[in-house]
Amino acid sequence: MTPERKERIIKVLNHRQPDLTVVMENVMDPHNIAAVMRTCDSVGIQEIFVLNTMIARHKKFGKKSSASAAGWLTIHQFDNTEECMKAVKAKYKNVYATHLGEKAVSLYELNLSEPVALVFGNEHAGITEECLKYCDGNFIIPQVGMVKSLNISVACAVTLYEVYRQREKNGNYSGAARLPSEQYNTLADQWGLLEDAE
Amino acid sequence: MTPERKERIIKVLNHRQPDLTVVMENVMDPHNIAAVMRTCDSVGIQEIFVLNTMIARHKKFGKKSSASAAGWLTIHQFDNTEECMKAVKAKYKNVYATHLGEKAVSLYELNLSEPVALVFGNEHAGITEECLKYCDGNFIIPQVGMVKSLNISVACAVTLYEVYRQREKNGNYSGAARLPSEQYNTLADQWGLLEDAE
């Protein structure tokens, strides 16, 4: 590993946000899944939850390459809503769903510097009722145009970059490691940072 | 036209931003172009500039349907960089390019409430040197991950929603019409709002 690459990997590790995650519930299109993962990596998310109650378990996540964002994320796969959402709630204080419910607020009204899990649903059906039961609130991305149709990859990017904006202001991306040391060391090992020391 | 639809169209018209536009320079992928247009419509952009110096003029923009964002936008097509950018500069005070130049600043450092044109370049080559000469500044979307690869439709959405956020705070989306009255009336006519009066 070159010193430049080592430095880059350490920088990425030091920007990872332990208190930020995404849950994809029954997101079907592999392009959407890949785009969401790229944005997660871009804003420093380390672990994501992939919940599938409608389709077979995604097999392709097995093929992790360093060129794809999936290779740098910790992906938890579930096929049971209760198990998945209980695991999410145990770790993240606020669970918000992109869902046009009765009490939906604008994305820009949310405090996203606090520990948060953001839930995105199926491209057509949205988030299931069962999954919504575990969410603390619903939010929408404001739209003032004729065609109401932000793609999930676009909606996710707009949401995660609002998280980034708020947290950057908050000093969360100062470069001081935020991951718990055990998780930090495990990733450092997986990502080859400890090889020189062996 | 139902009263509900009429009301919706008026609302859209009253949220259009006369001092905000997007320039797509040699964006090739029709999916990217369509996604950018959807986001433009979503944040209230009315006119956009499509500059193609590498490929033949896009023909499909002719087929405007009310279900597609293109049907609700005013699309200016150019195949000459100087003509296009002079037209843009004549109307928009600030012209910013998404380009990792020497003096690029973060998106979040820009004042986007002022009249602004945002330039996005080709998927692979980025923005041409010729086009950059007409830009007042470069900006980037911060990325702290391993895979640096925000798709243009994602980059555009993140950028335009930061514009939305700043302008919403600024009162630009209060619902009071901001378009010049001539443009407002022309669109009202095109969109069928004046039909009852005939």
Side-chain angles (χ1 to χ4, degrees):
Chain A
M1 187 184 295
T2 64
E4 291 74 22
R5 184 161 174 87
K6 192 169 178 175
E7 199 183 325
R8 183 153 169 237
I9 293 180
I10 291 172
K11 200 172 162 187
V12 168
L13 208 44
N14 289 352
H15 283 80
R16 289 307 210 209
Q17 306 288 307
D19 48 2
L20 174 62
T21 195
V22 156
V23 180
M24 283 190 264
E25 189 203 26
N26 296 322
V27 176
M28 302 293 241
D29 184 336
H31 295 105
N32 284 339
I33 296 172
V36 167
M37 287 184 181
R38 277 202 300 276
T39 310
C40 287
D41 173 63
S42 278
V43 300
I45 288 176
Q46 180 55 45
E47 68 169 11
I48 65 167
F49 295 79
V50 178
L51 168 60
N52 285 307
T53 55
M54 289 161 64
I55 54 174
R57 185 180 170 91
H58 296 283
K59 292 225 176 75
K60 61 179 323 204
F61 300 157
K63 288 193 291 172
K64 290 186 187 180
S65 82
S66 62
S68 80
W72 299 96
L73 299 176
T74 307
I75 302 169
H76 304 294
Q77 289 204 65
F78 289 86
D79 55 17
N80 179 293
T81 307
E82 187 182 351
E83 275 174 33
C84 176
M85 297 309 287
K86 281 191 171 167
V88 170
K89 283 184 83 72
K91 206 162 165 189
Y92 298 88
K93 188 184 160 196
N94 300 310
V95 181
Y96 295 136
T98 45
H99 176 74
L100 189 55
E102 257 182 59
K103 294 179 185 164
V105 299
S106 161
L107 165 67
Y108 301 106
E109 291 174 41
L110 300 175
N111 177 352
L112 298 163
S113 294
E114 294 197 332
V116 67
L118 299 156
V119 186
F120 297 88
N122 175 262
E123 287 89 343
H124 303 291
I127 300 170
T128 63
E129 285 298 322
E130 200 196 343
C131 185
L132 282 174
K133 283 190 289 185
Y134 297 94
C135 298
D136 303 303
N138 305 320
F139 70 96
I140 51 154
I141 296 171
Q143 297 187 59
V144 298
M146 280 303 296
V147 183
K148 308 244 159 161
S149 64
L150 294 181
N151 177 282
I152 181 185
S153 66
V154 162
C156 180
V158 168
T159 304
L160 291 183
Y161 267 94
E162 175 59 10
V163 181
Y164 177 90
R165 190 192 65 80
Q166 292 188 17
R167 287 178 178 227
E168 204 277 331
K169 228 170 144 182
N170 209 35
N172 286 22
Y173 293 101
S174 65
R178 299 191 68 236
L179 292 179
S181 58
E182 196 184 338
Q183 188 183 9
Y184 191 101
N185 292 332
T186 304
L187 288 170
D189 188 19
Q190 279 173 16
W191 294 359
L193 288 178
L194 307 184
E195 276 164 25
D196 294 346
E198 277 166 12
Chain B
M1 187 183 296
T2 64
E4 292 74 22
R5 184 164 173 83
K6 193 169 178 175
E7 198 182 326
R8 181 151 171 240
I9 293 180
I10 291 172
K11 200 173 164 187
V12 168
L13 208 44
N14 289 352
H15 283 81
R16 288 308 209 208
Q17 306 287 307
D19 49 2
L20 175 61
T21 195
V22 156
V23 181
M24 282 190 264
E25 189 203 27
N26 296 321
V27 176
M28 303 292 242
D29 184 336
H31 295 104
N32 285 337
I33 296 172
V36 167
M37 288 183 180
R38 276 202 301 276
T39 311
C40 286
D41 174 61
S42 278
V43 299
I45 287 177
Q46 180 55 45
E47 69 169 10
I48 64 166
F49 295 79
V50 178
L51 168 59
N52 284 308
T53 55
M54 289 160 66
I55 53 172
R57 187 180 168 91
H58 295 284
K59 293 226 175 74
K60 62 180 319 204
F61 298 157
K63 290 193 289 173
K64 291 185 187 181
S65 82
S66 63
S68 80
W72 300 97
L73 298 176
T74 307
I75 302 169
H76 304 294
Q77 289 204 67
F78 289 87
D79 54 17
N80 180 293
T81 308
E82 188 182 348
E83 275 174 33
C84 177
M85 296 309 288
K86 280 190 173 167
V88 170
K89 281 184 84 71
K91 207 163 164 187
Y92 298 88
K93 188 183 160 196
N94 300 310
V95 181
Y96 295 136
T98 44
H99 176 72
L100 189 55
E102 257 182 56
K103 294 178 186 164
V105 298
S106 160
L107 165 67
Y108 301 106
E109 291 174 40
L110 300 175
N111 177 350
L112 297 162
S113 294
E114 294 197 331
V116 67
L118 299 156
V119 186
F120 297 89
N122 174 262
E123 286 89 344
H124 303 289
I127 301 171
T128 62
E129 285 298 322
E130 200 195 344
C131 186
L132 282 174
K133 285 192 288 186
Y134 296 94
C135 298
D136 302 304
N138 305 319
F139 69 96
I140 51 155
I141 295 171
Q143 296 187 57
V144 298
M146 279 305 295
V147 183
K148 308 246 159 158
S149 64
L150 295 181
N151 178 281
I152 181 184
S153 66
V154 161
C156 181
V158 169
T159 304
L160 291 182
Y161 267 94
E162 174 59 11
V163 181
Y164 177 92
R165 190 191 66 80
Q166 292 188 16
R167 287 180 178 226
E168 204 276 330
K169 228 169 144 183
N170 207 35
N172 286 21
Y173 294 100
S174 66
R178 299 191 68 236
L179 292 178
S181 59
E182 197 184 336
Q183 187 184 9
Y184 189 101
N185 292 333
T186 303
L187 288 170
D189 188 20
Q190 279 173 17
W191 294 357
L193 289 177
L194 308 182
E195 277 164 25
D196 294 346
E198 277 165 12

Short mmCIF file of all heavy atoms in Angstrom, two decimals, chain A residues 101-122:
data_model
loop_
_atom_site.label_atom_id
_atom_site.label_comp_id
_atom_site.label_asym_id
_atom_site.label_seq_id
_atom_site.Cartn_x
_atom_site.Cartn_y
_atom_site.Cartn_z
N GLY A 101 -46.75 11.01 5.26
CA GLY A 101 -47.81 10.71 6.22
C GLY A 101 -48.48 11.97 6.71
O GLY A 101 -48.13 13.07 6.29
N GLU A 102 -49.43 11.80 7.62
CA GLU A 102 -50.20 12.94 8.14
C GLU A 102 -49.32 14.01 8.77
O GLU A 102 -49.51 15.19 8.59
CB GLU A 102 -51.20 12.45 9.19
CG GLU A 102 -52.61 12.37 8.66
CD GLU A 102 -53.57 11.93 9.75
OE1 GLU A 102 -53.65 12.62 10.77
OE2 GLU A 102 -54.22 10.88 9.56
N LYS A 103 -48.37 13.53 9.56
CA LYS A 103 -47.55 14.50 10.31
C LYS A 103 -46.16 14.68 9.70
O LYS A 103 -45.20 14.96 10.41
CB LYS A 103 -47.43 14.04 11.77
CG LYS A 103 -48.76 14.08 12.51
CD LYS A 103 -48.61 13.60 13.93
CE LYS A 103 -49.95 13.52 14.64
NZ LYS A 103 -49.87 12.70 15.86
N ALA A 104 -46.06 14.48 8.39
CA ALA A 104 -44.75 14.61 7.74
C ALA A 104 -44.26 16.05 7.82
O ALA A 104 -45.03 16.99 7.60
CB ALA A 104 -44.83 14.16 6.28
N VAL A 105 -42.99 16.21 8.15
CA VAL A 105 -42.38 17.54 8.17
C VAL A 105 -41.38 17.65 7.03
O VAL A 105 -41.01 16.65 6.41
CB VAL A 105 -41.66 17.82 9.52
CG1 VAL A 105 -42.62 17.77 10.69
CG2 VAL A 105 -40.50 16.85 9.72
N SER A 106 -40.96 18.86 6.75
CA SER A 106 -39.95 19.06 5.73
C SER A 106 -38.61 18.55 6.23
O SER A 106 -38.28 18.66 7.41
CB SER A 106 -39.84 20.55 5.40
OG SER A 106 -38.61 20.83 4.76
N LEU A 107 -37.83 18.00 5.32
CA LEU A 107 -36.46 17.57 5.62
C LEU A 107 -35.70 18.65 6.37
O LEU A 107 -34.92 18.36 7.29
CB LEU A 107 -35.75 17.26 4.29
CG LEU A 107 -34.23 17.13 4.30
CD1 LEU A 107 -33.80 15.90 5.10
CD2 LEU A 107 -33.69 17.03 2.88
N TYR A 108 -35.95 19.90 5.98
CA TYR A 108 -35.15 21.00 6.51
C TYR A 108 -35.56 21.41 7.94
O TYR A 108 -34.95 22.27 8.54
CB TYR A 108 -35.18 22.18 5.54
CG TYR A 108 -34.63 21.75 4.19
CD1 TYR A 108 -35.48 21.56 3.10
CD2 TYR A 108 -33.28 21.47 4.05
CE1 TYR A 108 -34.97 21.12 1.89
CE2 TYR A 108 -32.77 21.02 2.84
CZ TYR A 108 -33.61 20.85 1.76
OH TYR A 108 -33.11 20.39 0.57
N GLU A 109 -36.60 20.78 8.44
CA GLU A 109 -36.99 21.03 9.83
C GLU A 109 -36.37 20.03 10.80
O GLU A 109 -36.49 20.17 12.01
CB GLU A 109 -38.52 20.96 9.97
CG GLU A 109 -39.24 22.11 9.29
CD GLU A 109 -40.76 21.92 9.32
OE1 GLU A 109 -41.29 21.48 10.35
OE2 GLU A 109 -41.39 22.20 8.29
N LEU A 110 -35.74 18.99 10.26
CA LEU A 110 -35.17 17.95 11.13
C LEU A 110 -33.81 18.34 11.69
O LEU A 110 -33.01 18.97 11.01
CB LEU A 110 -35.02 16.64 10.34
CG LEU A 110 -36.25 16.00 9.73
CD1 LEU A 110 -35.84 14.78 8.89
CD2 LEU A 110 -37.24 15.57 10.81
N ASN A 111 -33.58 17.95 12.94
CA ASN A 111 -32.23 18.05 13.51
C ASN A 111 -31.51 16.75 13.19
O ASN A 111 -31.82 15.70 13.75
CB ASN A 111 -32.30 18.27 15.02
CG ASN A 111 -30.90 18.30 15.64
OD1 ASN A 111 -29.90 18.02 14.98
ND2 ASN A 111 -30.83 18.66 16.91
N LEU A 112 -30.57 16.83 12.26
CA LEU A 112 -29.93 15.62 11.75
C LEU A 112 -28.52 15.42 12.31
O LEU A 112 -27.77 14.55 11.86
CB LEU A 112 -29.92 15.65 10.22
CG LEU A 112 -31.33 15.66 9.60
CD1 LEU A 112 -31.30 16.10 8.14
CD2 LEU A 112 -31.97 14.28 9.71
N SER A 113 -28.18 16.25 13.28
CA SER A 113 -26.88 16.07 13.95
C SER A 113 -26.98 15.02 15.04
O SER A 113 -25.98 14.45 15.46
CB SER A 113 -26.40 17.39 14.56
OG SER A 113 -26.13 18.31 13.54
N GLU A 114 -28.20 14.75 15.49
CA GLU A 114 -28.40 13.70 16.49
C GLU A 114 -28.33 12.33 15.81
O GLU A 114 -28.50 12.23 14.60
CB GLU A 114 -29.79 13.87 17.12
CG GLU A 114 -29.92 15.15 17.93
CD GLU A 114 -31.12 15.09 18.86
OE1 GLU A 114 -32.09 14.40 18.53
OE2 GLU A 114 -31.06 15.74 19.92
N PRO A 115 -28.11 11.28 16.60
CA PRO A 115 -28.06 9.93 16.01
C PRO A 115 -29.33 9.64 15.22
O PRO A 115 -30.43 9.79 15.75
CB PRO A 115 -27.95 9.02 17.25
CG PRO A 115 -27.30 9.87 18.29
CD PRO A 115 -27.83 11.26 18.05
N VAL A 116 -29.19 9.24 13.99
CA VAL A 116 -30.38 9.08 13.16
C VAL A 116 -30.23 7.95 12.13
O VAL A 116 -29.17 7.74 11.56
CB VAL A 116 -30.73 10.42 12.45
CG1 VAL A 116 -29.67 10.83 11.43
CG2 VAL A 116 -32.10 10.37 11.79
N ALA A 117 -31.36 7.24 11.95
CA ALA A 117 -31.48 6.26 10.88
C ALA A 117 -32.54 6.78 9.92
O ALA A 117 -33.62 7.18 10.35
CB ALA A 117 -31.89 4.90 11.44
N LEU A 118 -32.23 6.77 8.63
CA LEU A 118 -33.15 7.30 7.62
C LEU A 118 -33.66 6.15 6.76
O LEU A 118 -32.86 5.39 6.19
CB LEU A 118 -32.42 8.35 6.77
CG LEU A 118 -31.93 9.55 7.62
CD1 LEU A 118 -30.76 10.24 6.96
CD2 LEU A 118 -33.09 10.51 7.86
N VAL A 119 -34.99 6.02 6.70
CA VAL A 119 -35.58 4.85 6.04
C VAL A 119 -36.16 5.24 4.68
O VAL A 119 -36.93 6.18 4.57
CB VAL A 119 -36.70 4.25 6.92
CG1 VAL A 119 -37.21 2.95 6.31
CG2 VAL A 119 -36.23 4.03 8.35
N PHE A 120 -35.75 4.49 3.65
CA PHE A 120 -36.26 4.69 2.29
C PHE A 120 -36.97 3.42 1.85
O PHE A 120 -36.48 2.31 2.11
CB PHE A 120 -35.11 5.03 1.34
CG PHE A 120 -34.42 6.31 1.69
CD1 PHE A 120 -33.36 6.32 2.59
CD2 PHE A 120 -34.87 7.52 1.18
CE1 PHE A 120 -32.74 7.52 2.95
CE2 PHE A 120 -34.27 8.72 1.53
CZ PHE A 120 -33.21 8.73 2.42
N GLY A 121 -38.11 3.58 1.18
CA GLY A 121 -38.92 2.43 0.84
C GLY A 121 -38.86 2.02 -0.62
O GLY A 121 -38.08 2.57 -1.41
N ASN A 122 -39.70 1.08 -0.95
CA ASN A 122 -39.79 0.56 -2.32
C ASN A 122 -40.14 1.67 -3.31
O ASN A 122 -40.91 2.57 -3.00
CB ASN A 122 -40.86 -0.54 -2.36
CG ASN A 122 -41.10 -1.05 -3.76
OD1 ASN A 122 -42.04 -0.63 -4.43
ND2 ASN A 122 -40.24 -1.93 -4.22
#
